[in-house]
Amino acid sequence: LDCVIQDCAKNGVDVGLEGSVELKRCTVSGCGGHGVRATDTSRCNITESKLIGNKRDGCDADLPASIVVHKSLLANNRDSGYV
């Protein structure tokens, strides 16, 4: 699953509606919005990943969406690391 998502004009990863995504050993950096954004009833699992240097939050979820983070680095994002 190792991947790099970088320098996106908006969010690095958007998941919505009833969607589900798993990021494992990924880097999301330099994005113009959030590193990862979850809305509606979506779910996102982030493991052993780096969300760094994004213009908004590293992770952002609107209830009832959920983001679960394990063993990951959230650093140097302009807003909070995790909201």
Side-chain angles (χ1 to χ4, degrees):
L1 298 175
D2 304 300
C3 69
V4 175
I5 300 167
Q6 67 182 35
D7 301 329
C8 300
K10 295 187 179 183
N11 300 327
V13 175
D14 271 309
V15 59
L17 299 176
E18 296 176 5
S20 179
V21 67
E22 179 175 348
L23 298 177
K24 188 169 184 179
R25 293 183 307 272
C26 294
T27 299
V28 182
S29 66
C31 297
H34 304 289
V36 175
R37 174 123 166 92
T39 59
D40 305 307
T41 58
S42 64
R43 297 173 312 281
C44 182
N45 291 312
I46 301 169
T47 306
E48 298 174 10
S49 295
K50 298 176 185 176
L51 283 71
I52 52 177
N54 297 293
K55 299 264 194 245
R56 305 250 349 245
D57 301 308
C59 294
D60 181 77
D62 287 344
L63 293 175
S66 66
I67 298 176
V68 178
V69 179
H70 297 280
K71 299 179 184 177
S72 295
L73 173 66
L74 285 79
N76 300 322
N77 297 292
R78 180 177 289 169
D79 293 335
S80 301
Y82 188 92
V83 175

